[in-house]
């Protein structure tokens, strides 16, 4: 079994990206794992602080570990958007493989100071854990938004990224490059797409020389995602697209069986709807080269 660091290095060398999908229940986990196994590509599942509180930190760690061990499969667990060291320590002690320590709302030097402390503390618990830091403004909430936030003033610069990485020792950087959390209603309906600053991604990669994550990938133009990977993005986060599919699948299951009360008879359409989204994203992130295996 390769480590997450090894697989990120391999992905970078091969010009592909590892898909990161947020989960908050067994339906989502089953769907993500099934899609990744079909395509035989490594995958990251992540949980924000709210998602971890709902599922249970130690419980989801045990669940993911059991899948990895039973099927000898590269599925890894990330503590997404962790805003305090205490929450990070909790995830590290539970056995998470990576932690996004997100203090991007703070002034950059305060972000640097606290992130450096977090890297040292978390690696003291588990030296092989990967710690991700975040700079810039990409909005909040993996939800359906009525209007798009103006994140143009919070875009990351190559100089800022280089300073942050060198000062903190983070393994992975999450910059603001035109990406935003959540989706507009028009994106859900397929009328509009997010677009990324590809030149900025390439400039940050050259300056920082570190693995890079694109947060807020839902609703982004496919060609922009391909270009972002070529420019240096190694991990892409998808959440809102999965939540929309989960909701539609659940509504379909309830509508198909209006008198059914057995959860495992109602929920399969939700699993399948999420699986379809995950599969399409994984094919894109892996350059389409695994599509035949998953056919």
């Amino acid at each position: 079994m390769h480590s997450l660091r090894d697989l990120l290095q391999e992905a970078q060398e091969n010009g592909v990206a590892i898909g990161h999908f947020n989960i908050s229940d067994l339906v989502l986990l089953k769907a993500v794992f099934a899609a990744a196994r079909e395509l035989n590509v490594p995958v990251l599942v992540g949980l924000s602080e709210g998602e971890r509180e709902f599922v249970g930190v130690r419980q989801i760690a045990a669940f993911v570990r059991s899948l990895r061990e039973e099927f000898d499969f590269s599925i890894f667990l990330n503590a997404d958007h962790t805003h305090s060291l205490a929450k990070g320590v909790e995830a590290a002690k539970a056995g998470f493989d990576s932690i996004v320590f997100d203090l991007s709302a703070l002034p950059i030097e305060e972000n640097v100071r606290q992130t450096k402390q977090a890297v040292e503390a978390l690696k003291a618990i588990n030296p092989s854990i990967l710690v991700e830091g975040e700079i810039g403004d990409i909005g909040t909430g993996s939800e359906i938004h009525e209007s798009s936030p103006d994140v143009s003033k919070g875009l990351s610069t190559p100089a800022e990224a280089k300073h942050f990485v060198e000062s903190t020792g983070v393994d992975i950087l999450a910059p603001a490059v035109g990406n935003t959390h959540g989706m507009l209603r028009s994106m859900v309906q397929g009328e509009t797409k997010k677009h990324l600053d590809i030149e900025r991604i390439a400039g940050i990669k050259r300056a920082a020389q570190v693995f890079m994550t694109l947060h807020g990938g839902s609703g982004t133009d496919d060609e922009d995602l391909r270009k972002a990977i070529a420019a240096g993005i190694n991990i892409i986060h998808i959440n809102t697209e999965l939540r929309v599919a989960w909701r539609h699948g659940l509504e379909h299951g309830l509508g198909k069986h209006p008198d059914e009360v057995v959860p495992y008879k109602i929920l399969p359409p939700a699993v399948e709807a999420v699986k379809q989204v995950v599969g399409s994203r994984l094919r894109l992130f892996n350059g389409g080269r695994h599509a035949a295996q998953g056919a």
Side-chain angles (χ1 to χ4, degrees):
M1 178 67 67
H2 292 288
S3 69
L4 179 55
R5 183 185 296 278
D6 289 342
L7 288 169
L8 282 169
Q9 187 62 45
E10 193 176 298
Q12 182 158 278
E13 291 168 0
N14 293 334
V16 301
I18 294 179
H20 174 291
F21 303 93
N22 282 69
I23 62 171
S24 52
D25 69 0
L26 185 57
V27 166
L28 288 152
L29 178 58
K30 280 172 69 71
V32 172
F33 185 60
R37 279 193 75 206
E38 267 191 22
L39 297 173
N40 195 29
V41 293
V43 71
L44 263 164
V45 290
L47 297 91
S48 65
E49 288 185 358
E51 289 164 337
R52 299 197 301 269
E53 187 176 330
F54 181 74
V55 176
V57 176
R58 291 175 63 185
Q59 289 71 33
I60 193 60
F63 234 125
V64 172
R65 187 165 55 248
S66 72
L67 290 173
R68 184 159 57 197
E69 291 172 356
E70 180 179 349
F71 296 95
D72 189 27
F73 192 83
S74 296
I75 180 171
F76 296 94
L77 184 60
N78 176 54
D80 200 13
H81 294 294
T82 301
H83 301 293
S84 72
L85 182 55
K87 293 287 187 183
V89 166
E90 181 184 31
K93 288 183 174 178
F96 279 59
D97 301 292
S98 59
I99 293 176
V100 178
F101 192 70
D102 177 10
L103 297 184
S104 57
L106 296 178
I108 184 66
E109 289 306 328
E110 187 59 24
N111 186 358
V112 165
R113 188 184 70 80
Q114 290 194 42
T115 301
K116 182 176 187 291
Q117 291 177 345
V119 170
E120 293 168 355
L122 295 170
K123 287 185 180 287
I125 297 169
N126 176 8
S128 65
I129 201 166
L130 299 186
V131 183
E132 178 176 322
E134 186 167 320
I135 56 174
D137 179 13
I138 57 173
T140 59
S142 296
E143 301 159 345
I144 307 303
H145 302 297
E146 293 301 330
S147 60
S148 180
D150 179 13
V151 294
S152 59
K153 296 181 180 65
L155 294 174
S156 307
T157 67
E160 180 184 57
K162 186 175 192 291
H163 169 62
F164 182 83
V165 170
E166 291 178 349
S167 301
T168 60
V170 292
D171 304 286
I172 306 167
L173 176 68
V177 290
N179 47 323
T180 55
H181 280 123
M183 294 172 70
L184 296 176
R185 200 166 296 282
S186 58
M187 292 174 184
V188 176
Q189 294 161 352
E191 297 165 359
T192 60
K193 296 284 185 183
K194 295 178 194 172
H195 290 280
L196 306 171
D197 188 334
I198 305 301
E199 288 185 15
R200 188 178 298 270
I201 294 171
I204 290 171
K205 188 73 171 189
R206 285 193 298 270
Q209 293 293 305
V210 71
F211 295 127
M212 283 170 48
T213 296
L214 182 77
H215 285 262
S218 291
T220 304
D221 178 73
D222 283 3
E223 191 56 33
D224 277 28
L225 290 173
R226 291 189 188 96
K227 290 177 179 176
I229 295 168
I233 291 294
N234 308 107
I235 302 170
I236 299 177
H237 281 224
I238 302 290
N239 190 354
T240 312
E241 288 181 12
L242 269 60
R243 290 177 168 183
V244 170
W246 177 92
R247 168 96 189 212
H248 290 167
L250 178 60
E251 288 173 347
H252 177 71
L254 290 167
K256 189 177 177 183
H257 306 287
D259 299 318
E260 185 59 78
V261 295
V262 180
Y264 65 78
K265 294 182 179 179
I266 297 169
L267 290 169
V271 175
E272 184 58 30
V274 175
K275 182 186 165 191
Q276 292 299 322
V277 173
V278 174
S280 71
R281 300 291 89 186
L282 286 175
R283 286 185 180 90
L284 177 66
F285 302 161
N286 286 279
R289 65 191 63 182
H290 295 275
Q293 288 175 293

